[in-house]
Amino acid sequence: MSPTLGAKEWYPARFTLGKDGRCLKGNRFTVLVLNQPLANKPLFCQCYDEAIIVAADGGANRVYDLFQQEKTEIPKYIPNVICGDLDSIRPEVQEYYEAKGVEIIKDPDQDSTDMTKCLRYIRERSHHFLSLGETPVNNLSDSQESRLDIAVFGGLGGRADQAFSQIHHLYAEVRQDPKPSAGDLYLITEESIVFLLEKGLNKIYAPVAAESFTENVGIIPIGKPSVISTRGLEWDVTNWPTEFGTHISTSNHVKADVVEVETTERVLFTLEFDKQTKM
């Protein structure tokens, strides 16, 4: 494995409920809620206090419905923005959030999904959202601190075709020329967090002892066949070809505070949440 100079750094624990995460004060990121089952309620509630919440059209229904058992909680968890073609949001939900002063943006573009519309909205306003942070987060690098990450809730839930569409968006986002303030995209499910590693060397800060994640990890070559080398896993590999139909790395185990993955192509990286994060 090559030296770590210039490695891409990832901090997935910043969104979690573990000792290393807890959505620290000043932890600047955006939560994008899709119109899919919003299963990880504790994590959503924890992220709410430190994030800009953008609901993708019917995602507003999911936020509203999440608190139907505790109706007094509904006013506490209000999206900052609802964006999309507005063909999925229920009338009573739209009326409720309009009365609460939520910004509602209708984008009639039928050549893009509601997720694409919201990602475009967030990227265009990333400098403004970053300016809303109160204090730096000590456990993030300087480069990470100046970029706005996006945590997508509802990712990979519900319909299979929409799950693949969300993975497609991971790849589509990195093909664009990002602004300096454009951060990384993470998909959050009830069980796991998923993100797309860059070509070259990646360093993932995910210590199991921090109680954010279990040891279970996967490296999945969705886009193209790749050759990977790893450090910090129970079953490390060196110059290992991976592609569907031959070999893929699933159910491996994290054995270090920092996992290093060097890859010739972009690959999905998955971590399983610790039980307290998915309660």
Side-chain angles (χ1 to χ4, degrees):
M1 185 173 289
S2 60
T4 59
L5 182 64
K8 165 64 179 177
E9 296 181 333
W10 301 87
Y11 297 88
R14 66 187 305 199
F15 307 112
T16 69
L17 306 179
K19 296 175 182 176
D20 236 23
R22 300 198 180 280
C23 298
L24 299 175
K25 200 71 173 175
N27 189 353
R28 304 161 189 166
F29 62 94
T30 302
V31 165
L32 170 56
V33 182
L34 303 181
N35 190 16
Q36 296 287 338
L38 191 56
N40 202 325
K41 182 177 178 179
L43 187 56
F44 173 79
C45 293
Q46 187 71 17
C47 287
Y48 180 86
D49 291 335
E50 300 302 333
I52 301 295
I53 309 296
V54 178
D57 196 354
N61 301 335
R62 303 289 181 168
V63 177
Y64 185 85
D65 292 344
L66 191 63
F67 302 99
Q68 283 304 301
Q69 298 301 317
E70 308 95 8
K71 291 186 181 294
T72 58
E73 296 293 297
I74 295 177
K76 296 181 182 179
Y77 298 97
I78 302 292
N80 298 91
V81 179
I82 299 169
C83 179
D85 57 14
L86 305 185
D87 65 345
S88 299
I89 186 172
R90 300 196 304 269
E92 71 273 16
V93 174
Q94 182 170 345
E95 291 173 7
Y96 178 83
Y97 286 135
E98 283 178 335
K100 293 294 183 180
V102 174
E103 181 180 8
I104 298 179
I105 300 170
K106 183 172 183 177
D107 185 338
D109 179 11
Q110 293 302 303
D111 292 326
S112 61
T113 65
D114 287 327
M115 183 174 179
T116 299
K117 295 178 176 72
C118 289
L119 289 173
R120 182 167 58 229
Y121 170 86
I122 293 168
R123 297 305 192 197
E124 289 174 350
R125 290 157 179 80
S126 57
H127 283 294
H128 170 67
F129 291 155
L130 282 167
S131 71
L132 301 178
E134 297 182 12
T135 56
V137 181
N138 294 331
N139 63 341
L140 300 185
S141 66
D142 291 340
S143 60
Q144 191 73 21
E145 183 62 26
S146 61
R147 304 175 70 203
L148 186 73
D149 288 345
I150 303 173
V152 181
F153 278 73
L156 308 186
R159 283 169 36 191
D161 61 329
Q162 292 184 341
F164 280 106
S165 173
Q166 291 150 26
I167 293 174
H168 160 76
H169 279 94
L170 284 179
Y171 281 86
E173 277 292 293
V174 300
R175 287 178 177 272
Q176 300 175 6
D177 292 330
K179 298 178 180 178
S181 55
D184 299 313
L185 194 62
Y186 297 81
L187 300 183
I188 292 179
T189 74
E190 182 178 8
E191 300 285 337
S192 302
I193 188 167
V194 181
F195 47 100
L196 190 62
L197 300 185
E198 293 188 355
K199 292 182 182 179
L201 185 59
N202 297 262
K203 298 176 68 175
I204 302 99
Y205 295 81
V208 172
E211 299 178 3
S212 295
F213 305 103
T214 71
E215 63 180 10
N216 296 321
V217 62
I219 304 172
I220 316 296
I222 292 286
K224 297 179 181 179
S226 186
V227 178
I228 64 173
S229 299
T230 67
R231 180 182 295 149
L233 302 179
E234 182 169 356
W235 297 287
D236 279 325
V237 295
T238 302
N239 297 326
W240 190 66
T242 175
E243 66 175 306
F244 279 99
T246 58
H247 304 286
I248 63 173
S249 177
T250 61
S251 301
N252 209 331
H253 296 154
V254 174
K255 294 299 179 184
D257 287 349
V258 181
V259 173
E260 296 186 7
V261 179
E262 189 166 15
T263 177
T264 59
E265 297 291 342
R266 293 183 177 274
V267 291
L268 287 181
F269 192 87
T270 71
L271 287 163
E272 182 187 30
F273 289 126
D274 186 86
K275 61 181 180 180
Q276 73 170 12
T277 303
K278 54 185 180 183
M279 297 169 81

